[in-house]
Amino acid sequence: MRLGYFTMPLHPLHRNPTETLQEDREAIILADKLGFHDAFVGEHLTDQAENVTNSLLFLATLIPVTTRIKLASGTSNLSHSHPTLLAAHAAMFDHLAKGRFIFGISPGALASDAEALGILDQDRNRLFAEAIDVILAIWEKNAPYDIDLPDNRFKVTTAGTCAFEIGRGIMPKPYQRPYPEIVGTVVAPFSKGVVAMGRRDFHPMSANFLLAHWLRSHWDNYAEGKRSVGVEPDVADWRIARTIFVADDDATARSYGKRDANSPYRYYYKQMLTKMKMSNRHVIFKKHRDEDDSAVTLDRLVDELVIAGTVDEVVDQILALRETAGDFGEIVYAGMDMVDKTLANRSMELMATQVMPRVNAAIGGR
């Protein structure tokens, strides 16, 4: 099982964005030193708490200060830009990173982003599907492209202005051929989008704020999609993100990870609960679809969704998660606001150097 890193990020509103952006960079630099496989960074345009507005721009600052870790948009919101822009920018990033790039994609779920862009009344899932088809077509075709796909609003050509002798009208192709690994974050239980991912060989990452009993539905749908095109699914392709805090002692794990009023984990799930209720997507926090809203409390979310404890306790909880969800290829550690940098960095260190070796030893032993 690989170890990855994911940050939305999500910071208290009073914090200085200059400081939090640097902290988010430092966390990924540390992840690189500790041997994390990849680092996904989210993006939003209109969220003061989640203040990375362009994941590729943020990640570009990490190329020269990291050596091994793959840098992943987590995600690029495809409804926000013309696919020609996204195809060109992602291809350039892949060259800058010399292949240390994963293209994480999503429609863009934040309603205030859509309102600011003037697309609130549009079907962002359809925009997403049309955009990725055009991005892949750009990467697969040669100039002048002449992309005019059925029922797709985006038409791309440079036929009228191409000048091959001087390179005009030609867009870059990615460093990785035919293109980088493509990963989609999955939030909804029984998501049909995961079936489509399987058909197209995109790889799913199950969100860290989804209750564990819903996770197996993601694998079942992904496997259905793979088998529908005659390919056997590989568990190495499936990532599960989880909210994890590892401490040297039980008291610190309980307070910083769950119970203290200043816990970044409590803040995170207070924000997420509020946001999901506002968008009527809080079914992800329920034990069954018809469960009463009153059962979804902050304390329950923290207890259910935060894996916190000493090294041995976290190992046991990850192995229990694997029993519930089934086998998967990567556990993705969710980054929080650094209320206490020492504890935050120590948790990542323990996760990489002690928890994961024991998890993999236990899996191998089974």
Side-chain angles (χ1 to χ4, degrees):
M1 185 187 296
R2 304 181 306 272
L3 173 62
Y5 182 83
F6 165 79
T7 184
M8 297 171 69
L10 210 161
H11 299 290
L13 302 186
H14 68 270
R15 295 211 58 198
N16 184 329
T18 306
E19 295 177 359
T20 58
L21 286 167
Q22 291 307 314
E23 284 182 3
D24 292 328
R25 290 183 71 254
E26 290 164 8
I28 294 173
I29 293 168
L30 176 62
D32 178 58
K33 292 176 180 176
L34 292 170
F36 282 61
H37 177 72
D38 44 33
F40 291 80
V41 176
E43 64 180 29
H44 284 305
L45 300 173
T46 61
D47 192 319
Q48 188 179 349
E50 300 182 46
N51 59 338
V52 172
T53 59
N54 184 301
S55 58
L56 293 180
L57 184 61
F58 177 86
L59 290 166
T61 72
L62 290 160
I63 294 171
V65 292
T66 57
T67 58
R68 296 175 297 173
I69 197 166
K70 292 193 173 187
L71 303 171
S73 53
T75 60
S76 289
N77 295 322
L78 301 194
S79 67
H80 292 181
S81 300
H82 194 285
T84 300
L85 287 172
L86 288 161
H89 294 165
M92 184 185 77
F93 187 96
D94 199 26
H95 283 277
L96 289 170
K98 294 183 179 178
R100 283 196 295 124
F101 173 51
I102 298 170
F103 191 33
I105 58 174
S106 75
L110 191 62
S112 55
D113 283 359
E115 182 181 12
L117 290 166
I119 58 170
L120 187 59
D121 61 343
Q122 295 190 38
D123 183 344
R124 296 194 294 282
N125 287 318
R126 181 172 177 179
L127 274 167
F128 164 80
E130 293 174 3
I132 192 59
D133 285 345
V134 171
I135 290 168
L136 295 181
I138 289 171
W139 288 346
E140 290 163 356
K141 289 175 174 283
N142 294 318
Y145 309 104
D146 293 332
I147 298 166
D148 187 358
L149 303 173
D151 299 319
N152 192 310
R153 76 197 70 192
F154 301 110
K155 316 301 179 186
V156 179
T157 184
T158 59
T161 53
C162 251
F164 290 122
E165 67 277 11
I166 60 170
R168 191 172 74 183
I170 301 170
M171 285 184 276
K173 296 195 183 300
Y175 178 92
Q176 300 172 79
R177 296 301 179 92
Y179 46 77
E181 179 185 8
I182 296 177
V183 172
T185 301
V186 192
V187 177
F190 303 99
S191 168
K192 292 301 180 186
V194 192
V195 180
M197 285 186 200
R199 291 192 187 114
R200 304 193 67 169
D201 197 30
F202 301 169
H203 298 161
M205 177 165 67
S206 299
N208 60 301
F209 41 83
L210 186 71
L211 289 177
H213 69 276
W214 297 120
L215 293 171
R216 194 179 288 267
S217 72
H218 290 176
W219 173 254
D220 291 342
N221 282 9
Y222 180 69
E224 177 187 332
K226 295 294 282 188
R227 292 182 177 124
S228 72
V229 292
V231 178
E232 194 61 25
D234 185 349
V235 293
D237 296 339
W238 185 25
R239 293 169 170 87
I240 293 180
R242 291 289 92 178
T243 312
I244 300 171
F245 176 59
V246 195
D248 287 299
D249 62 87
D250 285 327
T252 302
R254 283 195 303 273
S255 61
Y256 190 79
K258 296 198 175 189
R259 293 290 171 246
D260 192 286
N262 292 321
S263 164
Y265 296 86
R266 287 190 74 82
Y267 171 74
Y268 180 92
Y269 278 106
K270 183 179 180 182
Q271 284 280 103
M272 291 306 301
L273 180 57
T274 302
K275 289 179 177 182
M276 290 299 173
K277 281 187 172 179
M278 288 176 68
S279 58
N280 198 30
R281 298 169 65 202
H282 55 291
V283 66
I284 64 172
F285 296 142
K286 295 186 175 186
K287 297 196 173 183
H288 54 83
R289 291 184 182 276
D290 297 326
E291 187 176 35
D292 192 83
D293 286 1
S294 63
V296 183
T297 65
L298 177 58
D299 281 338
R300 189 177 92 173
L301 289 189
V302 169
D303 286 338
E304 293 273 353
L305 289 168
V306 179
I307 295 175
T310 61
V311 168
D312 287 342
E313 290 167 340
V314 171
V315 169
D316 288 343
Q317 290 175 73
I318 291 173
L319 293 174
L321 172 70
R322 189 168 174 268
E323 293 295 326
T324 299
D327 196 8
F328 55 96
E330 180 173 322
I331 189 157
V332 183
Y333 179 106
M336 299 286 117
D337 181 77
M338 289 193 180
V339 173
D340 187 317
K341 283 189 180 181
T342 301
L343 290 179
N345 290 344
R346 179 61 173 161
S347 176
M348 289 179 65
E349 179 187 356
L350 291 171
M351 184 71 188
T353 63
Q354 297 192 38
V355 171
M356 291 308 296
R358 296 187 196 187
V359 166
N360 281 315
I363 292 172
R366 293 181 185 183

